[in-house]
Amino acid sequence: MSKTDQRPPETACESVHREYILDVRVVEVTDDEPRYRFEAPEHRGIAFGDPEMAELYADVYFCANGFEEDGTGEYGIPPAIIGAGRAVLASYMLAQPHNDLEWVASFFGLKPHRINKYAEVVANRAQEIRDGAEERGVE
C-alpha cells in the first residue's frame, strides 16, 4: 500500500486476496460469508461473492484503463467500458452480480463458451498490461 493511499487499514476480518500494480487490489472480507471487494484509487469499492468475478472485474479495470461507475445508475455501463471493446464489455457484464453467463451470452447472441473465451482474452490482456507496466517500473 502506498503512503498516499487513503483506504482504511485492514481489519481482523479482512485480508488481501490479490494485489495488483497501481494500488489496485481485491480484499477478502470475512463476515458470515466471505466477500471479495475490489479496491482502486478513485474508485468506489464493489464486493463480489466469488473471487473469480472480483478478479475478472480487476482485469476489466486494467483493460479499460480504469473507470468509475458513479453516475451510471445501478445497471448502467461506464463509457470507458464500452470504448474498450466487445470482450471487455462482455466481461464487465459477466462480473455484475445481477447477471449470469447465460444472460450475457443471450444478450450478445452468442453461446456461453464464447463469453468465457472473451473473459479469458480480457484476463490475458490485463496480465500483459500489468506485466508491461511493471517492466517500466510502475508499482
Side-chain angles (χ1 to χ4, degrees):
M1 191 178 323
S2 75
K3 293 177 186 173
T4 60
D5 193 348
Q6 299 300 312
R7 293 178 289 206
E10 295 175 23
T11 63
C13 60
E14 292 186 1
S15 62
V16 174
H17 171 74
R18 183 149 184 212
E19 194 155 17
Y20 302 94
I21 60 171
L22 302 173
D23 290 328
V24 175
R25 65 186 184 171
V26 173
V27 176
E28 182 177 5
V29 181
T30 307
D31 291 328
D32 295 334
E33 295 180 25
R35 289 176 289 122
Y36 299 85
R37 186 178 62 235
F38 171 83
E39 296 180 351
E42 315 245 346
H43 188 285
R44 66 180 170 93
I46 181 171
F48 300 86
D50 179 356
E52 289 180 8
M53 288 298 112
E55 292 169 7
L56 178 60
Y57 189 90
D59 291 339
V60 167
Y61 185 83
F62 281 101
C63 285
N65 198 25
F67 61 88
E68 179 57 61
E69 292 175 307
D70 282 344
T72 62
E74 187 175 345
Y75 295 102
I77 297 173
I81 299 293
I82 294 168
R86 189 176 176 114
V88 174
L89 176 59
S91 297
Y92 174 81
M93 292 174 74
L94 183 59
Q96 298 305 299
H98 52 271
N99 295 339
D100 64 16
L101 179 62
E102 287 73 25
W103 186 91
V104 175
S106 176
F107 178 86
F108 282 93
L110 298 171
K111 301 278 186 197
H113 76 276
R114 295 295 304 153
I115 301 302
N116 282 331
K117 191 68 169 167
Y118 279 161
E120 184 180 317
V121 165
V122 166
N124 290 337
R125 187 181 316 155
Q127 191 59 53
E128 289 172 3
I129 291 167
R130 291 187 292 262
D131 290 345
E134 287 176 349
E135 288 172 7
R136 291 188 304 278
V138 175
E139 294 182 9

